[in-house]
Amino acid sequence: MEKLLIPEGYVSGLDILETEQAIKELRVFFEEGLAKALNLQRASAPLFVSDDSGLNDHLNNIERPVSFDRLEQKNKAYEIVQSLAKWKSYALGRYNVTAGKGIYTNMNAIRRDEITDNIHSIYVDQWDWEKVILKCERNMDTLKSTVDGIYGVIKGAEDYVCSKYGYIESILPESIHFVTTQEMEDTYPKLTPQERETEYARKYKAVFIAKIGGKLKSGQIHDGRAADYDDWSLNGDIVLYYPLFDMAFEISSMGVRVDENTLISQLRERNRLHMLEMQFQRAVAGGELPYTIGGGIGQSRLC
């Protein structure tokens, strides 16, 4: 925790038990709002998956999942999930969920290679959600309307907290600003991707940064994304301005998921076509799973 910073003179407005109660109330408020806004139903989720299932999220393909074996199956390895991005798509197909409906779950994960600071931990808690869409809905309009719905719930949660605790002031705008990673590079070509995010967050306070994972005109990528769940042309991050540290603050990563064509093209770009041999990736490539949109929303970050 060498990078953890406590601002000079910072004092919490609540004691520990009051904070725990406030977190509980906010989580209930947000969950109910998210479920209503996106037409989601709560579902239970796994803490671990088998390493050959293809269901674990490999993030930037460099993070090491926590793995273990079982007394009953010592020749088979299991991994603590790093996120549930792929499991949710698989679950929607298994549960026969129809278009326009979806699920959300309380996801707990371990990311052992995370560099910890004020907003990063090796323990991850988030609302993971996924919704079935039609193939014709795999477009930017669907992505934008979903982002607007989620942001409305975030803004509503802020209003709820401000009304309940008088010392907290509202900082979020009424609507969220949309920008693509290429537009950001065009505007600030000499800045790093993180510096670009900070500039946009300072200006707009709430930004959806679209199209993350593919190469920009410069030949660089804005940020890493695994090749086998988000469609890099139809994804993005909800980023808020965090005045306490004058920084861009990612609250959610989300997107329209890959179909059979984008899965193969993105795996080819990352030289990972061998993943098509895995169970989940085979199912996507074979058109066996529904088309979906989904993402995760950080619980601790939101609170």
Coordinates of all heavy atoms in Angstrom, one line a residue, residues 74-120:
K74 N -7.1 -33.6 -8.4 CA -5.8 -33.0 -8.2 C -5.1 -32.7 -9.6 O -4.1 -32.0 -9.7 CB -4.9 -33.9 -7.4 CG -5.3 -33.9 -5.9 CD -4.3 -34.6 -5.0 CE -4.7 -34.5 -3.6 NZ -3.7 -35.2 -2.7
N75 N -5.6 -33.3 -10.7 CA -5.0 -33.1 -12.0 C -5.8 -32.0 -12.8 O -5.5 -31.9 -13.9 CB -5.1 -34.4 -12.8 CG -6.5 -34.9 -13.0 OD1 -7.4 -34.6 -12.2 ND2 -6.7 -35.8 -14.0
K76 N -6.7 -31.3 -12.1 CA -7.5 -30.3 -12.8 C -7.3 -29.0 -12.0 O -7.4 -29.0 -10.8 CB -8.9 -30.7 -12.9 CG -9.8 -29.7 -13.7 CD -11.2 -30.3 -13.8 CE -12.1 -29.3 -14.7 NZ -11.6 -29.3 -16.1
A77 N -7.1 -27.9 -12.7 CA -6.8 -26.6 -12.0 C -8.1 -25.7 -12.1 O -8.8 -25.7 -13.1 CB -5.7 -25.9 -12.7
Y78 N -8.3 -24.9 -11.0 CA -9.4 -23.9 -11.0 C -8.8 -22.6 -10.7 O -7.7 -22.4 -10.1 CB -10.4 -24.3 -9.9 CG -11.2 -25.6 -10.2 CD1 -10.6 -26.8 -9.9 CD2 -12.4 -25.5 -10.8 CE1 -11.3 -28.0 -10.3 CE2 -13.1 -26.6 -11.1 CZ -12.6 -27.9 -10.8 OH -13.3 -29.0 -11.2
E79 N -9.5 -21.5 -11.2 CA -9.0 -20.2 -11.0 C -10.1 -19.3 -10.3 O -11.3 -19.4 -10.7 CB -8.7 -19.5 -12.4 CG -7.6 -20.2 -13.1 CD -7.4 -19.7 -14.5 OE1 -8.3 -18.9 -15.0 OE2 -6.4 -20.0 -15.1
I80 N -9.6 -18.5 -9.4 CA -10.5 -17.4 -8.8 C -10.8 -16.4 -9.9 O -9.9 -16.0 -10.7 CB -9.8 -16.7 -7.6 CG1 -9.4 -17.7 -6.5 CG2 -10.8 -15.6 -7.1 CD1 -10.6 -18.4 -5.9
V81 N -12.0 -16.1 -10.1 CA -12.4 -15.2 -11.2 C -11.7 -13.8 -11.0 O -11.5 -13.3 -9.9 CB -13.9 -15.0 -11.3 CG1 -14.6 -16.3 -11.7 CG2 -14.5 -14.4 -10.1
Q82 N -11.4 -13.2 -12.2 CA -10.9 -11.8 -12.2 C -12.0 -10.8 -12.6 O -11.9 -9.7 -12.3 CB -9.7 -11.7 -13.1 CG -8.5 -12.5 -12.6 CD -7.2 -12.2 -13.4 OE1 -6.3 -11.6 -12.8 NE2 -7.1 -12.6 -14.6
S83 N -12.9 -11.3 -13.4 CA -14.2 -10.7 -13.6 C -15.1 -11.7 -14.2 O -14.7 -12.8 -14.6 CB -14.1 -9.4 -14.5 OG -14.3 -9.7 -15.8
L84 N -16.4 -11.4 -14.4 CA -17.4 -12.4 -14.9 C -17.8 -12.0 -16.3 O -18.9 -12.4 -16.7 CB -18.6 -12.4 -14.0 CG -18.3 -13.0 -12.6 CD1 -19.5 -12.8 -11.7 CD2 -17.9 -14.4 -12.6
A85 N -17.0 -11.3 -17.1 CA -17.5 -10.8 -18.4 C -18.0 -11.9 -19.3 O -19.0 -11.8 -19.9 CB -16.3 -10.1 -19.1
K86 N -17.2 -13.1 -19.3 CA -17.6 -14.2 -20.2 C -18.7 -15.1 -19.6 O -19.6 -15.6 -20.2 CB -16.4 -14.9 -20.6 CG -15.4 -14.1 -21.4 CD -14.2 -14.9 -21.7 CE -13.0 -14.0 -21.4 NZ -11.7 -14.7 -21.5
W87 N -18.6 -15.3 -18.3 CA -19.5 -16.2 -17.6 C -20.9 -15.7 -17.8 O -21.9 -16.5 -18.0 CB -19.2 -16.3 -16.1 CG -20.2 -17.0 -15.4 CD1 -20.3 -18.4 -15.2 CD2 -21.4 -16.5 -14.7 NE1 -21.4 -18.8 -14.5 CE2 -22.1 -17.6 -14.2 CE3 -21.9 -15.2 -14.5 CZ2 -23.3 -17.5 -13.5 CZ3 -23.1 -15.1 -13.8 CH2 -23.8 -16.2 -13.3
K88 N -21.1 -14.4 -17.8 CA -22.5 -13.8 -17.9 C -23.1 -14.1 -19.2 O -24.3 -14.5 -19.3 CB -22.5 -12.3 -17.6 CG -22.1 -11.9 -16.2 CD -22.0 -10.4 -16.1 CE -20.9 -9.9 -16.9 NZ -20.8 -8.4 -16.8
S89 N -22.4 -14.0 -20.3 CA -22.9 -14.4 -21.6 C -23.3 -15.8 -21.7 O -24.3 -16.2 -22.2 CB -21.9 -14.1 -22.7 OG -21.6 -12.7 -22.8
Y90 N -22.4 -16.7 -21.1 CA -22.7 -18.1 -21.0 C -24.0 -18.4 -20.2 O -24.8 -19.2 -20.6 CB -21.5 -18.8 -20.4 CG -21.7 -20.3 -20.1 CD1 -21.6 -21.2 -21.2 CD2 -21.9 -20.7 -18.8 CE1 -21.8 -22.6 -20.9 CE2 -22.1 -22.1 -18.6 CZ -22.0 -23.0 -19.6 OH -22.2 -24.3 -19.3
A91 N -24.1 -17.7 -19.1 CA -25.2 -17.9 -18.2 C -26.6 -17.5 -18.9 O -27.6 -18.2 -18.8 CB -25.1 -17.1 -16.9
L92 N -26.6 -16.4 -19.6 CA -27.8 -15.9 -20.3 C -28.3 -16.9 -21.3 O -29.5 -17.2 -21.5 CB -27.5 -14.6 -21.0 CG -27.4 -13.4 -20.1 CD1 -27.0 -12.1 -20.9 CD2 -28.7 -13.1 -19.3
G93 N -27.3 -17.6 -22.0 CA -27.7 -18.6 -22.9 C -28.2 -19.9 -22.2 O -29.3 -20.4 -22.6
R94 N -27.6 -20.2 -21.1 CA -28.0 -21.4 -20.3 C -29.4 -21.2 -19.7 O -30.2 -22.1 -19.6 CB -27.0 -21.7 -19.3 CG -27.3 -22.9 -18.4 CD -26.2 -23.0 -17.4 NE -26.5 -24.1 -16.4 CZ -25.8 -24.4 -15.3 NH1 -24.8 -23.6 -15.0 NH2 -26.2 -25.4 -14.5
Y95 N -29.7 -19.9 -19.3 CA -30.9 -19.6 -18.6 C -32.0 -19.3 -19.6 O -33.2 -19.0 -19.2 CB -30.8 -18.4 -17.6 CG -29.7 -18.6 -16.6 CD1 -29.2 -17.5 -15.9 CD2 -29.3 -19.9 -16.2 CE1 -28.2 -17.7 -14.9 CE2 -28.3 -20.1 -15.2 CZ -27.8 -19.0 -14.6 OH -26.8 -19.1 -13.6
N96 N -31.7 -19.3 -20.9 CA -32.7 -19.0 -21.9 C -33.4 -17.6 -21.7 O -34.6 -17.4 -21.9 CB -33.8 -20.1 -22.0 CG -33.3 -21.4 -22.4 OD1 -32.5 -21.5 -23.3 ND2 -33.6 -22.4 -21.6
V97 N -32.6 -16.6 -21.4 CA -33.1 -15.2 -21.2 C -33.3 -14.6 -22.6 O -32.5 -14.8 -23.5 CB -32.0 -14.4 -20.5 CG1 -32.5 -12.9 -20.3 CG2 -31.8 -15.0 -19.1
T98 N -34.5 -14.0 -22.7 CA -34.9 -13.4 -24.0 C -34.4 -12.0 -24.2 O -34.0 -11.3 -23.2 CB -36.4 -13.4 -24.2 OG1 -37.0 -12.7 -23.0 CG2 -36.9 -14.8 -24.2
A99 N -34.4 -11.5 -25.4 CA -33.9 -10.2 -25.8 C -34.6 -9.1 -25.0 O -35.9 -9.2 -24.8 CB -34.1 -9.9 -27.3
G100 N -33.9 -8.1 -24.5 CA -34.4 -7.0 -23.7 C -34.4 -7.3 -22.2 O -34.7 -6.4 -21.4
K101 N -34.0 -8.5 -21.8 CA -33.9 -8.8 -20.4 C -32.4 -9.2 -20.1 O -31.7 -9.6 -20.9 CB -34.8 -10.0 -20.0 CG -36.3 -9.6 -20.2 CD -37.2 -10.8 -19.8 CE -38.6 -10.5 -20.0 NZ -39.5 -11.6 -19.7
G102 N -32.1 -9.2 -18.8 CA -30.7 -9.6 -18.4 C -30.6 -10.0 -16.9 O -31.6 -10.1 -16.2
I103 N -29.4 -10.1 -16.5 CA -29.1 -10.4 -15.1 C -28.0 -9.5 -14.5 O -27.3 -8.9 -15.3 CB -28.6 -11.9 -15.0 CG1 -27.3 -12.1 -15.8 CG2 -29.7 -12.9 -15.4 CD1 -26.6 -13.5 -15.6
Y104 N -28.0 -9.4 -13.2 CA -26.9 -8.7 -12.5 C -26.5 -9.6 -11.3 O -27.3 -10.4 -10.8 CB -27.2 -7.3 -12.1 CG -28.1 -7.2 -10.9 CD1 -27.5 -7.1 -9.6 CD2 -29.5 -7.2 -10.9 CE1 -28.3 -7.0 -8.5 CE2 -30.3 -7.1 -9.8 CZ -29.7 -7.0 -8.6 OH -30.4 -6.9 -7.4
T105 N -25.3 -9.4 -10.9 CA -24.8 -10.2 -9.8 C -23.8 -9.4 -9.0 O -23.2 -8.5 -9.5 CB -24.2 -11.5 -10.3 OG1 -23.8 -12.3 -9.2 CG2 -22.9 -11.2 -11.1
N106 N -23.6 -9.8 -7.7 CA -22.6 -9.2 -6.9 C -21.3 -10.1 -7.1 O -21.3 -11.2 -6.7 CB -23.0 -9.2 -5.4 CG -24.0 -8.2 -5.1 OD1 -23.7 -7.0 -5.1 ND2 -25.2 -8.6 -4.9
M107 N -20.4 -9.5 -7.8 CA -19.1 -10.2 -8.1 C -18.0 -9.9 -7.2 O -17.7 -8.7 -6.9 CB -18.7 -9.8 -9.6 CG -17.6 -10.7 -10.2 SD -15.9 -10.2 -9.7 CE -15.8 -8.6 -10.4
N108 N -17.4 -10.9 -6.7 CA -16.2 -10.7 -5.8 C -15.0 -11.5 -6.5 O -15.2 -12.6 -6.9 CB -16.4 -11.3 -4.4 CG -17.5 -10.6 -3.7 OD1 -17.5 -9.4 -3.5 ND2 -18.5 -11.4 -3.3
A109 N -13.9 -10.8 -6.7 CA -12.8 -11.3 -7.4 C -11.5 -11.0 -6.8 O -11.4 -10.1 -5.9 CB -12.8 -10.8 -8.9
I110 N -10.4 -11.7 -7.2 CA -9.1 -11.4 -6.7 C -8.2 -11.1 -8.0 O -8.2 -11.9 -8.9 CB -8.5 -12.5 -5.9 CG1 -9.3 -12.7 -4.6 CG2 -7.0 -12.3 -5.6 CD1 -8.8 -13.9 -3.8
R111 N -7.5 -10.0 -7.9 CA -6.6 -9.7 -9.0 C -5.2 -9.5 -8.3 O -4.8 -8.4 -7.9 CB -7.0 -8.4 -9.8 CG -8.3 -8.6 -10.5 CD -8.7 -7.3 -11.2 NE -10.1 -7.5 -11.9 CZ -10.7 -6.6 -12.5 NH1 -10.1 -5.4 -12.7 NH2 -11.9 -6.8 -13.1
R112 N -4.5 -10.6 -8.3 CA -3.2 -10.6 -7.5 C -2.2 -9.7 -8.0 O -1.3 -9.3 -7.2 CB -2.7 -12.1 -7.5 CG -2.3 -12.6 -8.9 CD -2.0 -14.0 -8.9 NE -0.8 -14.4 -8.2 CZ -0.3 -15.6 -8.3 NH1 -0.9 -16.6 -9.0 NH2 0.8 -15.9 -7.6
D113 N -2.2 -9.3 -9.3 CA -1.1 -8.5 -9.8 C -1.5 -7.0 -9.9 O -0.8 -6.2 -10.5 CB -0.8 -8.9 -11.3 CG -0.1 -10.3 -11.2 OD1 0.6 -10.6 -10.2 OD2 -0.2 -11.0 -12.2
E114 N -2.6 -6.6 -9.2 CA -3.0 -5.2 -9.2 C -2.0 -4.4 -8.4 O -1.6 -4.8 -7.3 CB -4.4 -5.1 -8.6 CG -5.1 -3.7 -8.9 CD -5.5 -3.6 -10.4 OE1 -6.5 -4.2 -10.7 OE2 -4.9 -2.8 -11.1
I115 N -1.6 -3.2 -8.8 CA -0.8 -2.3 -8.0 C -1.8 -1.5 -7.2 O -2.6 -0.7 -7.7 CB 0.0 -1.4 -8.9 CG1 0.9 -2.2 -9.9 CG2 0.9 -0.4 -8.1 CD1 1.9 -3.1 -9.2
T116 N -1.7 -1.6 -5.9 CA -2.7 -1.1 -5.0 C -2.4 0.4 -4.7 O -1.3 0.8 -4.5 CB -2.8 -1.8 -3.7 OG1 -1.5 -1.9 -3.0 CG2 -3.2 -3.3 -3.9
D117 N -3.5 1.2 -4.6 CA -3.5 2.6 -4.2 C -4.9 3.0 -3.7 O -5.6 2.1 -3.3 CB -3.0 3.5 -5.4 CG -3.8 3.3 -6.7 OD1 -5.0 2.9 -6.5 OD2 -3.3 3.6 -7.8
N118 N -5.2 4.2 -3.8 CA -6.5 4.7 -3.3 C -7.7 4.1 -4.0 O -8.8 4.0 -3.4 CB -6.6 6.2 -3.3 CG -5.7 6.9 -2.3 OD1 -4.5 6.9 -2.4 ND2 -6.3 7.4 -1.2
I119 N -7.5 3.7 -5.3 CA -8.7 3.2 -6.0 C -8.4 1.8 -6.6 O -9.3 1.3 -7.4 CB -9.1 4.2 -7.1 CG1 -7.9 4.4 -8.1 CG2 -9.5 5.5 -6.6 CD1 -8.3 5.2 -9.4
H120 N -7.3 1.2 -6.3 CA -7.1 -0.1 -6.8 C -6.8 -1.1 -5.6 O -6.1 -0.7 -4.7 CB -5.9 -0.2 -7.7 CG -6.1 0.6 -9.0 ND1 -5.8 1.9 -9.1 CD2 -6.6 0.2 -10.2 CE1 -6.1 2.3 -10.4 NE2 -6.6 1.3 -11.0

